[in-house]
Amino acid sequence: MTGWGTYTPADGSFQRVRYTGDPVQLPVELHARENGLLVTFSGPVDRAVAETPRSQFAQAWNYRYGPGYGSQEFSPHHPSMPGHDPLTIRSVTLLEDERTLFLEIPDLQPVNQLHLHLRVDASRPVDLFATVHKLAAPFTGFAGYRPVSKVVAAHPILSDLALATHSKPNPWRKKLPNAQPITLEAGKNLTFTPSSFEVPAGATVELTFKNPDVVPHNWALIRPDSLPRVGDLINKIIAEPDAVARHYIPKSDDVLVYSDMVPPQDQFTISFQAPAEKGRYPYVCTFPGHWMVMNGVMIVK
Ligand SMILES: [Cu+2]
């Protein structure tokens, strides 16, 4: 048992496992469904312990594929940020076989690493580590099932590959002469500060978007009256493997100008020509889930 992954000074080996006759409680099956996880144990599960949601814990993280060995652990929800995402377990149901638990986790998505810490009786909790490649159809065989419309995210490996092969430099990241400087910030509770500003038609604008928040945001200018259309595309974008590489910018003619996704405590400057046509041009953060509240308006006068 020396070599890769250990620091033992001498050779050793694992000789024999003998069943002592003592009760064992081990997970023997795991199935990922769109609305949660089915976990089957080798022996009967204590309903009172297992069905208490606080007995159970689930978290997830992703790795970055790269030329170096090893990877930091990244938040699946905020792909560029190190960290784990805890998963909310809405309910726990012990099925009729008294050995299978359904953990209802509406936010479950494909992830490189899923960690479950489960208590199913008075013995020691069980830790399970799995890679979730695909989600099967929702599990409906429990009281309280309610259908949810859900967009299943692209596999994290495909998103990583797209980052390495599809990333393009931002087309507006350049200096233009005689630009009117404008500074915007991500405010509290998914807002832009200011929530509107004016520019003369056709003016050259140098816009700096600052992000003092704790999650990533971006800034995208879109055509007048296109917010619902663009929002609909943003809602579906996590299913596209190159969404992260595209900074969550939807593929649409309605999007006129945009910044890259700006990590917390960072900023991004772009220069562009304001539209020649007067009007109210919405701007929006296209990070999934933000657009409905995180928007403002650039008034072209
Ligand atoms: Cu945002």
Side-chain angles (χ1 to χ4, degrees):
M1 300 217 291
T2 61
W4 187 84
T6 83
Y7 296 96
T8 54
D11 289 339
S13 66
F14 191 59
Q15 296 283 353
R16 181 181 291 172
V17 179
R18 182 184 289 123
Y19 179 50
T20 62
D22 288 344
V24 285
Q25 183 61 295
L26 289 170
V28 291
E29 276 186 50
L30 172 67
H31 299 276
R33 310 289 287 257
E34 264 185 44
N35 58 340
L37 298 157
L38 287 161
V39 190
T40 302
F41 286 83
S42 54
V45 163
D46 182 331
R47 183 182 299 274
V49 174
E51 287 191 345
T52 305
R54 71 168 178 277
S55 295
Q56 320 302 1
F57 173 76
Q59 62 176 347
W61 62 93
N62 286 330
Y63 299 116
R64 177 118 311 146
Y65 280 61
Y69 179 75
S71 165
Q72 268 186 291
E73 295 170 2
F74 292 96
S75 155
H77 190 58
H78 298 118
S80 57
M81 294 174 64
H84 295 181
D85 291 350
L87 297 171
T88 300
I89 301 171
R90 188 195 267 168
S91 68
V92 186
T93 307
L94 180 60
L95 304 189
E96 267 180 21
D97 67 358
E98 298 191 338
R99 298 191 307 132
T100 302
L101 282 181
F102 180 64
L103 307 171
E104 189 189 7
I105 305 177
D107 294 334
L108 186 67
Q109 292 286 7
V111 285
N112 288 152
Q113 197 75 87
L114 172 75
H115 171 211
L116 302 175
H117 183 77
L118 306 177
R119 283 173 201 279
V120 293
D121 52 33
S123 65
R124 289 174 43 173
V126 170
D127 285 291
L128 258 169
F129 293 84
T131 298
V132 180
H133 293 290
K134 278 187 178 171
L135 302 178
F139 178 71
T140 60
F142 67 108
Y145 167 72
R146 41 190 149 152
V148 282
S149 64
K150 170 165 182 170
V151 179
V152 176
H155 193 290
I157 293 178
L158 297 180
S159 299
D160 242 35
L161 274 174
L163 256 186
T165 55
H166 291 45
S167 288
K168 290 193 187 94
N170 187 294
W172 297 279
R173 194 176 201 180
K174 58 191 171 193
K175 282 255 173 205
L176 292 177
N178 306 317
Q180 174 181 337
I182 300 213
T183 301
L184 273 136
E185 277 193 17
K188 282 198 168 34
N189 303 319
L190 304 182
T191 53
F192 282 111
T193 311
S195 58
S196 76
F197 62 90
E198 295 180 359
V199 294
T204 306
V205 177
E206 183 182 279
L207 183 140
T208 298
F209 174 51
K210 297 183 173 175
N211 182 11
D213 202 3
V214 293
V215 295
H217 299 288
N218 69 356
W219 183 90
L221 186 70
I222 63 177
R223 283 189 204 284
D225 304 316
S226 68
L227 188 56
R229 270 199 309 277
V230 173
D232 198 44
L233 294 175
I234 295 170
N235 289 343
K236 296 171 186 154
I237 207 166
I238 60 162
E240 298 168 26
D242 62 350
V244 181
R246 279 167 33 219
H247 295 268
Y248 295 107
I249 298 297
K251 287 174 186 155
S252 163
D253 291 343
D254 286 327
V255 180
L256 302 173
V257 180
Y258 54 85
S259 78
D260 281 5
M261 198 52 70
V262 184
Q265 311 305 324
D266 206 345
Q267 62 179 54
F268 199 87
T269 299
I270 50 175
S271 301
F272 60 94
Q273 222 74 46
E277 210 168 313
K278 292 175 185 169
R280 296 173 62 85
Y281 291 76
Y283 50 83
V284 61
C285 169
T286 68
F287 189 87
H290 292 189
W291 71 270
M292 260 185 276
V293 281
M294 194 162 179
N295 59 66
V297 82
M298 183 176 96
I299 300 157
V300 177
K301 296 185 76 169

